[in-house]
């Protein structure tokens, strides 16, 4: 859902950033395991392909929901993913939505 002049509210922007099968799942995993590496993420979500993992992480990075840290002296570098301060502000709201969703039956 791409924001337009008619639908340019904040909720639409959040929904667009987290749309897709994997982005919100990856966000939750990173929130629970700050400093998690690419292969660790891959192991936590065995159904995801490498291409979809890369694309989903790239989207979360471009939307500034996560940050990436590289270490090592030569390729292949070790990457770790963290929540940004922006995401840390969003996390309590998502936790409330999760709580509401679990009790809405």
């Amino acid at each position: 859902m791409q924001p337009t002049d008619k639908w340019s509210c904040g909720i639409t922007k959040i929904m667009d950033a987290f749309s897709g099968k994997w982005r919100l799942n990856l966000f939750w995993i990173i929130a629970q395991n700050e400093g998690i590496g690419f292969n660790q993420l891959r192991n936590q979500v065995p159904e995801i392909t490498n291409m979809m993992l890369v694309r989903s992480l790239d989207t979360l990075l471009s939307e500034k929901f996560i940050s990436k840290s590289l270490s090592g002296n030569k390729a292949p570098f070790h990457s770790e993913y963290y929540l940004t301060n922006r995401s840390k502000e969003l996390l309590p709201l998502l936790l409330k939505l999760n709580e509401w969703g679990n009790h809405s039956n």
Side-chain angles (χ1 to χ4, degrees), residues 55-103:
R55 285 182 182 174
S56 297
L57 290 171
D58 283 348
T59 299
L60 292 172
L61 284 163
S62 70
E63 294 288 340
K64 298 183 176 40
F65 286 112
I66 62 171
S67 63
K68 179 180 176 179
S69 172
L70 296 174
S71 61
N73 296 329
K74 59 182 179 175
F77 297 104
H78 177 73
S79 57
E80 290 187 333
Y81 298 91
Y82 299 87
L83 293 186
T84 61
N85 288 335
R86 178 181 185 211
S87 290
K88 289 177 183 175
E89 292 176 10
L90 178 62
L91 192 56
L93 300 172
L94 292 174
L95 290 170
K96 283 300 235 186
L97 282 172
N98 181 56
E99 182 182 314
W100 182 85
N102 284 333
H103 299 303

Side-chain angles (χ1 to χ4, degrees), residues 1-17:
M1 180 184 328
Q2 294 295 322
T4 64
D5 288 339
K6 185 176 180 181
W7 296 100
S8 63
C9 70
I11 292 173
T12 302
K13 293 175 186 175
I14 295 292
M15 288 174 55
D16 190 44

Side-chain angles (χ1 to χ4, degrees), residues 20-27 29 38-58 60:
K21 186 174 181 178
W22 303 109
R23 292 181 204 157
L24 191 56
N25 292 348
L26 292 170
F27 179 87
I29 293 168
F38 182 89
N39 288 330
Q40 292 169 302
L41 278 168
R42 178 80 172 87
N43 291 337
Q44 294 260 347
V45 188
E47 303 87 12
I48 196 170
T49 64
N50 280 343
M51 182 177 287
M52 283 310 301
L53 178 55
V54 168
R55 285 182 182 174
S56 297
L57 290 171
D58 283 348
L60 292 172

